[in-house]
Amino acid sequence: MMEKTAKHVFLLGMAALLPLKSIAAEPVQPIEPVKNINLAQAELGKKLYFDPRLSKSGFISCNSCHNLSMGGTDNLKTSIGHNWQQGPINSPTVLNSSMNVAQFWDGRAADLKEQAGGPIANPGEMAFTHTLAVSVLQSIPGYVNEFRLVFGDDAINIDRVTDAIAEFEKTLVTPGSRFDQWLLGYENAITANEKAGYELFKNSGCVACHNGPAVGGSSFQKMGLVQPYQTTNPAEGLAGVTGKDADRFKFKVPTLRNVELTYPYFHDGEAETLTEAVDIMGRLQLGKTFTADENAKVVAFLKTLTGEQPTFALPILPPSVDATPKPQPFGQ
Amino acid sequence: MMEKTAKHVFLLGMAALLPLKSIAAEPVQPIEPVKNINLAQAELGKKLYFDPRLSKSGFISCNSCHNLSMGGTDNLKTSIGHNWQQGPINSPTVLNSSMNVAQFWDGRAADLKEQAGGPIANPGEMAFTHTLAVSVLQSIPGYVNEFRLVFGDDAINIDRVTDAIAEFEKTLVTPGSRFDQWLLGYENAITANEKAGYELFKNSGCVACHNGPAVGGSSFQKMGLVQPYQTTNPAEGLAGVTGKDADRFKFKVPTLRNVELTYPYFHDGEAETLTEAVDIMGRLQLGKTFTADENAKVVAFLKTLTGEQPTFALPILPPSVDATPKPQPFGQ
């Protein structure tokens, strides 16, 4: 991550030497490098993110459904949880999720820290409890030492666990996409066709919701604004949080960063391809039917939003000891 | 891996300057650095090793059950397969597995390449077929390019897939353990207590089977030689391969390298702790009941066999495209 940030700073620096383009006037902004990271806390959080011992089965980690080899998603329509339960909703990407106005499709968690505790205790996901997860960690000398190092004393609790995971997740940004290079002044970073796609994206109204550095993530919008969205998925969206009927089918607008990697699309994962997603969004949200040529241009633009993926050494987890509570994958 | 190998070569070099100990006389030998690796092929193999698209569900990869964050195992009694099926046997570690006389507990695969194809097509594990797995890879431009780079042409077939995975697995050795440092002449690398454990390990006969650089892995032996082993696990061992009644309950002697990380133990995963495993091995295989003090010493020795874990960047997988066959996690 260090290397990447340096490269990004270099790009930003170089941009200053190029003919000035008014970035500020664009509805999409470049991703800024990560700042103010507590590195020791993020390193601990990385281990926890990859540790399946935070699940009842000892088999499912954060990375199982937000796989950092695959755009921070599982690339499944809906996820697989404990005992192979079928999840109710598509796993959103963890990449650039620090920029989201809230977490989960329905925004029921205010931030990354609050989100991180959810799946651990969700019976359909990791199916554990915070108390049991903490007990496991407390039994492992390698973790006890690392929590002490990071937090100044031995206490391990869910507050610190989710703090550390959130700190790691804050590092998962993807600067350096070809589109950001273009925003920063490198005219040749995207093709004429991709630029035409961006113009369509702006002129058709996509940017009303998909804007800012994350190209989304900053608001809740009704799925099926102009025409109703047909789905068998029972998710109600924001209404489940606020209790307001007006919030039915309002979902957090997903980030379009790395959207080439985060298939399938929508909260129900029903759109398998970008072509399909762009077509449905155009018709249902904007009342606009993109021609095949227009659709292809928008898709070409969207693929320029793939940034540098976070790269880091696969963490080596501290081993359990004799006293560590055993995972219970089967029949209990 | 480069860094590690260099360090190990350095250690081997330094050992030449130290008072000569007769390493050759010891039944356990240091792990040698990896040589003759086709690096491009190993890098491709690393991606394949981490790619859940080699499974029917799109959720299970080689790394799911041979997790390189956890000693190359899943640390479960028996593994979780497609649709949460309970596996029949404990997942052996992939670490140092290139040194095994054959692969799987019953030796049914001659080498790493032959092994790698097994779980992909096993209905209880990744539940895919070789043909379908190859179709998925053939649809992904990033893989097509990389196979061409590595093998000289575009062909993707199971032969090349398993060649690449095996090449990656050959890199997964763990030199540099404290015990190897001691073998190489650093007297203080292990404590007097650990050394006493090694003496017990030698004098009690453990080394009859657990010897060589992998401290095991070189022969098949009957589980329950002196006293019968009681288990509800139906695995028959080598007899299932040879059809010979004399081979019933003969299993490949597992490596003891990194045994601190590869819990639980035995082919059925029934021994939860090293203390338990040492006790059972002593009584059933050697007719020897270790005292608590002796057992603790042997366990202390075994923990000196934890080597440097392979560290490498988590691979970023090339994305599927519209034409890529979709994973089928549920109901089909």
Side-chain angles (χ1 to χ4, degrees), chain A residues 84, chain B residues 55-58 60 80-86 122-128 328-332:
Chain A
W84 212 264
Chain B
S55 69
K56 180 179 180 182
S57 63
I60 299 179
I80 293 171
H82 183 79
N83 205 22
W84 213 265
Q85 290 172 82
Q86 182 165 7
N122 187 324
E125 302 185 26
M126 295 163 84
F128 221 17
Q328 304 190 332
F330 302 111
Q332 284 169 72

Side-chain angles (χ1 to χ4, degrees), chain A residues 59 63-67 69-70 73-80 84 91 261 263-264, chain B residues 48-62 64 81-83 119-120 125-129 132-133 136 140 317 320 324-330 332:
Chain A
F59 189 65
N63 195 63
S64 297
C65 299
H66 303 283
N67 192 328
S69 295
M70 310 197 303
T73 69
D74 54 13
N75 292 143
L76 299 177
K77 195 173 285 188
T78 64
S79 296
I80 294 171
W84 212 264
S91 286
L261 311 179
Y263 52 89
Chain B
L48 297 168
Y49 188 90
F50 278 86
D51 202 326
R53 289 171 296 187
L54 294 182
S55 69
K56 180 179 180 182
S57 63
F59 189 66
I60 299 179
S61 71
C62 304
S64 298
H82 183 79
N83 205 22
I120 294 173
E125 302 185 26
M126 295 163 84
F128 221 17
T129 70
L132 290 171
V136 166
I140 299 170
L317 303 178
S320 296
T324 304
K326 301 295 176 281
Q328 304 190 332
F330 302 111
Q332 284 169 72

Side-chain angles (χ1 to χ4, degrees), chain A residues 2-264:
Chain A
M2 288 298 124
E3 208 174 290
K4 242 178 236 176
T5 304
K7 182 174 170 190
H8 188 56
V9 169
F10 173 76
L11 281 174
L12 285 168
M14 287 305 290
L17 304 176
L18 293 166
L20 204 63
K21 180 164 62 184
S22 180
I23 298 178
E26 297 295 336
V28 176
Q29 296 290 304
I31 292 182
E32 297 202 4
V34 186
K35 291 170 195 155
N36 300 323
I37 290 293
N38 179 331
L39 199 56
Q41 194 170 311
E43 285 297 316
L44 170 58
K46 187 196 297 175
K47 290 196 180 84
L48 296 169
Y49 188 91
F50 278 85
D51 201 326
R53 289 171 295 186
L54 294 182
S55 68
K56 180 179 180 181
S57 63
F59 189 65
I60 299 180
S61 70
C62 304
N63 195 63
S64 297
C65 299
H66 303 283
N67 192 328
L68 292 166
S69 295
M70 310 197 303
T73 69
D74 54 13
N75 292 143
L76 299 177
K77 195 173 285 188
T78 64
S79 296
I80 294 171
H82 183 80
N83 206 24
W84 212 264
Q85 290 171 83
Q86 182 166 6
I89 213 154
N90 181 261
S91 286
T93 179
V94 69
L95 297 176
N96 306 301
S97 56
S98 55
M99 302 178 200
N100 287 337
V101 60
Q103 303 300 329
F104 296 116
W105 281 98
D106 59 7
R108 67 182 182 277
D111 53 27
L112 290 175
K113 175 185 165 67
E114 189 180 339
Q115 189 282 331
I120 294 173
N122 187 323
E125 301 186 26
M126 294 163 84
F128 220 19
T129 69
H130 291 171
T131 306
L132 289 170
V134 165
S135 298
V136 167
L137 298 175
Q138 283 170 334
S139 76
I140 298 170
Y143 272 127
V144 173
N145 288 338
E146 196 159 340
F147 272 84
R148 186 190 302 134
L149 198 72
V150 169
F151 292 103
D153 64 61
D154 279 9
I156 301 184
N157 51 51
I158 194 66
D159 193 55
R160 288 180 171 183
V161 169
T162 54
D163 263 339
I165 293 173
E167 193 71 7
F168 170 60
E169 290 176 339
K170 279 164 60 184
T171 71
L172 303 175
V173 297
T174 63
S177 68
R178 290 196 294 116
F179 187 73
D180 281 8
Q181 292 176 39
W182 179 80
L183 279 176
L184 292 168
Y186 293 86
E187 279 299 329
N188 294 330
I190 65 175
T191 67
N193 190 55
E194 289 160 351
K195 186 152 181 283
Y198 177 51
E199 292 302 325
L200 272 165
F201 186 79
K202 284 201 288 190
N203 300 337
S204 308
C206 309
V207 292
C209 302
H210 292 285
N211 53 41
V215 202
S218 55
S219 67
F220 293 84
Q221 300 293 339
K222 186 175 171 188
M223 179 73 168
L225 200 59
V226 178
Q227 286 178 41
Y229 181 64
Q230 306 293 342
T231 180
T232 55
N233 187 299
E236 295 265 303
L238 191 60
V241 179
T242 64
K244 295 181 188 167
D245 198 51
D247 289 334
R248 281 190 72 221
F249 303 126
K250 278 195 185 168
F251 294 95
K252 189 180 59 190
V253 175
T255 175
L256 296 183
R257 291 286 179 182
N258 310 294
V259 72
E260 180 183 13
L261 311 179
T262 62
Y263 52 89

Side-chain angles (χ1 to χ4, degrees), chain B residues 9 19 25 38 55 75 79 90 101 112 134 175 189 191 231 262 264 295-296 300 302 307:
Chain B
V9 169
N38 179 331
S55 69
N75 293 143
S79 294
N90 181 261
V101 61
L112 290 175
V134 165
T191 66
T231 180
T262 63
N295 187 308
L302 292 174

